Amino acid sequence: MLRRSRTYSGPVTDHFDGKRFYDPDGVPPKSLSQVLRWQFDRNGKRSRWPAWAPSPHADAPPHRIDGEAVRLSFIGHASWLVQTGGLNILVDPVWSERVSPLSFAGPRRHNDPGIAFEALPHIDVVLVSHGHYDHLDIRTLSKLTARFSPRVVTPLGNDLTMIDADSKIRAEAYDWHDRVTLNEEVAVTLVPTRHWTARGLFDRNKALWASFVLETPRGRLYIVCDSGYGTGKHFRRVAKQHAPIRLAILPIGAYEPRWFMRDQHMNPEDAVQALQDCGAEAALAHHHGTFQLTDEAIDAPVHALHAALDSAGIPRERFGVLKPGQVVEI
């Protein structure tokens, strides 16, 4: 897992300089010295999560959803099962115990996936947003490949990471703004997001990262797996280019300390502003409560989200928060 993999090569673009990807509207990721400052200069500010925080829910999804309905099952962290238009689609699937290059160290689960792996229906498509270990989980992708052999749609360069680890993974790599037809009723477009990616010390931003706009019979879903807020330009661009948005899935966790996380992870107040910027009818929260990646308490994102919604005069029910295993249908 720690060996060097092949990296993307291609023409220079407005977000690829020939060696590394970058966000023209963003900022570079933090330096190693800043990472070390965060890790070793916390002064007891890191909240202690409970060793185990089980969800009372567990989903047993149907084989398929035909017709116009969309069924979304929250698996945990940034992992979802979306069933619509006769397709079963997983987003950033992680069933592993840890999100780390090491099996014995790194952030560990604090609750089980909302769907047992054995209870999954046949998976047709997997969307993987970028290469960080809490989003691109090779162990899970290999298990899915062995059982279902799904298409795996991912931004440029992440396909090489997958195929180098398991040549049977059916990875397809696309650039920002590429639209991918999944069947006659469903398509996905990769859109820019304010983030970065790496798997080790030597491959920073040598693959691309993206959010997804998923076209379904019920309307468009805007799935933001990881993002900072910045000036909000990315969210307003999605509103301009892909409106109307029926539902946004927005991250609300892994945001403290702000000096370190602001440029890569939204806090709940940012997420509420992102909802307003993208113009979605409603939102669902994720990227919280399963893996402790940063310093805030396990329940802090939900409390802060409710406070931000109240402050903005937005009904709490417009921005829902699920526990793993809970389901929403639209």
Side-chain angles (χ1 to χ4, degrees):
M1 297 295 290
L2 291 174
R3 68 183 187 277
R4 293 195 191 190
S5 298
R6 292 177 295 155
T7 56
Y8 173 80
S9 62
V12 172
T13 69
D14 66 353
H15 55 278
F16 181 67
D17 65 9
K19 293 183 178 180
R20 298 180 190 272
F21 292 93
Y22 62 96
D23 179 359
D25 300 308
V27 295
K30 293 292 188 289
S31 66
L32 179 58
S33 64
Q34 290 171 311
V35 173
L36 294 174
R37 173 188 162 195
W38 169 45
Q39 290 294 316
F40 296 106
D41 188 27
R42 290 179 173 178
N43 296 321
K45 294 179 181 179
R46 183 177 175 87
S47 297
R48 182 181 293 275
W49 284 27
W52 193 244
S55 170
H57 308 279
D59 185 28
H63 293 298
R64 294 201 181 274
I65 297 290
D66 295 313
E68 295 187 354
V70 179
R71 185 182 192 273
L72 299 106
S73 178
F74 185 42
I75 296 163
H77 192 57
S79 302
W80 296 82
L81 171 65
V82 182
Q83 296 181 279
T84 187
L87 290 179
N88 296 323
I89 303 167
L90 285 175
V91 180
D92 282 1
V94 177
W95 265 262
S96 291
E97 181 70 14
R98 294 185 186 273
V99 286
S100 167
L102 305 173
S103 62
F104 56 86
R108 192 170 193 169
R109 302 193 78 93
H110 289 262
N111 39 61
D112 286 325
I115 305 171
F117 191 86
E118 296 72 23
L120 282 171
H122 182 90
I123 300 302
D124 304 293
V125 177
V126 177
L127 307 179
V128 176
S129 63
H130 66 293
H132 286 149
Y133 286 89
D134 56 319
H135 296 264
L136 194 167
D137 179 19
I138 290 293
R139 297 179 188 91
T140 295
L141 292 174
S142 289
K143 288 178 66 176
L144 290 167
T145 295
R147 185 172 177 187
F148 305 116
S149 191
R151 296 176 66 183
V152 182
V153 173
T154 193
L156 296 172
N158 297 289
D159 57 321
L160 301 176
T161 299
M162 298 175 193
I163 294 168
D164 279 353
D166 184 345
S167 62
K168 295 181 180 179
I169 296 174
R170 295 173 55 207
E172 306 172 15
Y174 297 94
D175 203 351
W176 284 348
H177 307 296
D178 285 345
R179 182 179 181 272
V180 185
T181 299
L182 302 181
N183 71 5
E184 293 181 356
E185 299 182 84
V186 183
V188 65
T189 300
L190 286 73
V191 295
T193 199
R194 187 184 178 96
H195 202 55
W196 65 288
T197 193
R199 300 286 285 181
L201 297 176
F202 306 106
D203 64 344
R204 181 170 289 198
N205 286 359
K206 290 192 174 182
L208 187 59
W209 54 94
S211 294
F212 302 107
V213 175
L214 186 65
E215 300 169 34
T216 79
R218 284 279 197 228
R220 294 182 178 92
L221 312 183
Y222 179 29
I223 306 172
V224 182
C225 298
D226 240 348
S227 182
Y229 178 75
T231 65
K233 184 173 182 177
H234 290 314
F235 302 101
R236 292 190 295 273
R237 183 188 290 122
V238 164
K240 182 177 181 180
Q241 296 178 348
H242 297 279
I245 302 295
R246 181 69 181 270
L247 177 72
I249 297 176
L250 299 171
I252 66 166
Y255 54 83
E256 291 290 352
R258 292 311 285 150
W259 73 265
F260 187 83
M261 290 293 166
R262 180 184 303 278
D263 294 322
Q264 55 191 310
H265 289 160
M266 294 191 290
N267 66 13
E269 186 176 355
D270 292 335
V272 170
Q273 186 61 54
L275 168 61
Q276 296 173 290
D277 288 347
C278 75
E281 293 180 23
L284 293 173
H286 72 163
H287 206 273
H288 67 101
T290 295
F291 299 105
Q292 186 174 15
L293 305 177
T294 52
D295 291 356
E296 73 273 5
I298 191 171
D299 56 354
V302 176
H303 293 312
L305 175 65
H306 290 162
L309 290 167
D310 294 346
S311 178
I314 298 173
R316 292 184 181 184
E317 55 268 25
R318 187 179 166 197
F319 201 142
V321 180
L322 307 183
K323 290 185 179 295
Q326 286 190 290
V327 174
V328 165
E329 296 187 18
I330 60 175

